Amino acid sequence: MAIINITAPATREQLANINIGDTVLLSGTIYTARDAAHKRLMSMIASGDPLPINIKNACIYYTGPCPEKPGDIIGSCGPTTSSRMDSYAPTLMDLGQTIMVGKGLRSKDVIDAMVRNGAVYLAATGGAGALLASCVKAKRTVAFPELLSEAIYELEIANMPLICAIDSRGTSLYEEGIKTYKK
Amino acid sequence: MRVINATQITDTIRQMCIDACCDMPENVYIALKKAKDSERSPFGKEILTQLISNIEISREKQMPACQDTGMAVIFADVGQDVHIEGDLFGAIEEGVRRGYKDGYLRASTTDPLSRKNPGDNTPPIVHYNIVPGDKLTLHMAPKGFGSENMSALKMLTPSSGLEGVKAFIIDTVKNAGANPCPPIVLGIGIGGTMEKAALIAKRQLLREIGEVNPDPELAALENELLEKINNLGIGPGGLGGDTTALAVFIDTYPTHIAGLPVAVNMQCHAARHKSAII
Ligand code: SF4
């Protein structure tokens, strides 16, 4: 249960030493995307169009932030349920994505794609949107502004507190953790 | 007949939307603090610590504790001696529209098939009750869908009995795992018809954590289920731990001789609601 500092974008080599249960303090440049944005990315890939984001070594945070108040950088921005992105995530990892940030279980297909690509899945605390917003230092709209909170934003973040829930070997803290505390 | 003007309802709902999202109930805050003291899992403790400071930040900065500021669910208990001047649903809807805009809350309500989002979180879901008296009581409970999606309803039959009811509830929590942002609160409706069970379950979520059910048998059942759920080991954030649920709230209604409906409405720790009496 180490504390590891990671700066995104990150290569698979930079993520190889992260184990489940490690605290990852994530900094750097990441993208937000949830259901609607993923769907659009998939149709762009299917029709061979260039993606609006640089997917190589990218980190995608599954969140749809609240609108920011005047003077604020971002509104509340906690994670959404990752499993809704399960059907899209393997395609993006095969194109180079290495970090997913969200909450909740992932499918076997996703875990297989993680192992194949050396990717990690980091859990943000569900419902801690105000706290997580304080880690965001800049925000820029990258694509699909008409999707409102579901648009793709590029965020500059500093020391976002995350826990590695599934590591690049496919080990899952969700399974191990529950086994430990089940009575 | 007491007259209530629709604009007063709009103003009240507007403020309730903002307050519900930005000022988490004190009973949730206290329950999270208590849970943190007894939680054995280091991840669980860390997540509970984050949730406690999240509530503090949200209150201090007047920003939503969770970015999923939900669908706007409103219970309107209308006194039968009240005359409302204007359109009641329209007044509530306008209050939601203004509250979500003025409070910088997220617009999450969307067309189910086209997925087009009008961007103002309307329409709300309004449940009306006609009650004695000359007051209008409003409850506003924004409902996030990480937890709503893990809710379940089952039309059990009488042979399943209480054991079947318990098993269904526990299974629903187990299947939900980390998705509904544990620690969770459960609203449960047993009996009635399909929609009645679901409505009871939803309304139970308006109760305060720590409030004891006035029916001693249901109170005992709530305690038993809470213990069983916390023994599942799901824990805060689903990463393993002792605190899977903060409360279980149950109510019943007579049902048909052939039936035993059970509805489980899953609520995350963002158990937000505000009430007002006009
Ligand atoms: S389930 Fe609740 S706490 Fe989790 S993201 Fe949704 S509204 Fe927020």
Side-chain angles (χ1 to χ4, degrees), chain A residues 10-39:
Chain A
T11 63
R12 61 186 296 169
E13 290 75 24
Q14 287 166 322
L15 304 171
N17 293 329
I18 303 175
N19 292 306
I20 54 163
D22 287 347
T23 295
V24 173
L25 296 174
L26 187 67
S27 301
T29 307
I30 67 172
Y31 299 110
T32 70
R34 45 172 292 153
D35 312 57
H38 273 83
K39 214 169 175 181

Side-chain angles (χ1 to χ4, degrees), chain A residues 85-99:
Chain A
M85 268 52 77
D86 279 359
S87 57
Y88 314 123
T91 308
L92 294 176
M93 281 186 274
D94 289 339
L95 289 172
Q97 180 189 353
T98 53
I99 307 175

Side-chain angles (χ1 to χ4, degrees), chain B residues 21-160:
Chain B
C21 293
C22 302
D23 179 22
M24 285 278 291
E26 189 63 15
N27 65 76
V28 174
Y29 183 67
I30 293 169
L32 290 171
K33 282 195 147 177
K34 263 204 200 149
K36 186 192 136 195
D37 292 338
S38 57
E39 178 60 59
R40 288 177 302 151
S41 151
F43 308 119
K45 246 192 190 356
E46 166 62 20
I47 286 169
L48 292 168
T49 306
Q50 286 188 18
L51 293 179
I52 292 161
S53 80
N54 183 61
I55 293 180
E56 291 162 358
I57 295 172
S58 136
R59 284 175 175 171
E60 191 192 306
K61 297 190 71 180
Q62 273 296 295
M63 74 191 285
C66 180
Q67 79 291 340
D68 186 353
T69 49
M71 284 194 83
V73 177
I74 286 124
F75 285 91
D77 297 344
V78 188
Q80 59 198 24
D81 299 326
V82 169
H83 171 70
I84 290 160
E85 222 165 50
D87 165 14
L88 176 56
F89 182 82
I92 294 174
E93 182 170 59
E94 185 56 24
V96 168
R97 184 176 288 122
R98 289 190 198 165
Y100 275 70
K101 179 166 176 286
D102 297 349
Y104 296 90
L105 312 179
R106 196 180 80 183
S108 309
T109 304
T110 205
D111 183 273
L113 299 177
S114 73
R115 309 308 296 179
K116 217 179 138 24
N117 185 338
D120 61 3
N121 220 42
T122 65
I125 310 266
V126 187
H127 303 297
Y128 301 99
N129 281 301
I130 306 295
V131 297
D134 65 353
K135 302 270 188 294
L136 169 65
T137 305
L138 297 166
H139 303 281
M140 197 281 158
K143 191 65 178 77
F145 261 54
S147 51
E148 191 74 356
N149 275 346
M150 305 321 288
S151 301
L153 182 134
K154 195 158 183 184
M155 303 304 285
L156 295 174
T157 47
S159 65
S160 304

Side-chain angles (χ1 to χ4, degrees), chain A residues 90-167:
Chain A
T91 308
L92 294 176
M93 281 186 274
D94 289 339
L95 289 172
Q97 180 189 353
T98 53
I99 307 175
M100 298 171 285
V101 178
K103 64 162 169 113
L105 300 174
R106 308 308 302 265
S107 69
K108 178 156 188 314
D109 280 356
V110 170
I111 297 174
D112 288 348
M114 290 174 67
V115 174
R116 189 159 72 231
N117 294 291
V120 293
Y121 173 49
L122 308 176
T125 298
L131 177 106
L132 290 159
S134 65
C135 306
V136 178
K137 304 302 165 197
K139 168 175 167 262
R140 183 173 77 85
T141 309
V142 172
F144 321 136
E146 64 283 7
L147 296 179
L148 307 172
S149 70
E150 295 204 72
I152 297 185
Y153 299 105
E154 184 183 84
L155 307 181
E156 294 298 329
I157 59 166
N159 298 316
M160 188 177 270
L162 307 169
I163 296 172
C164 178
I166 307 177
D167 61 26

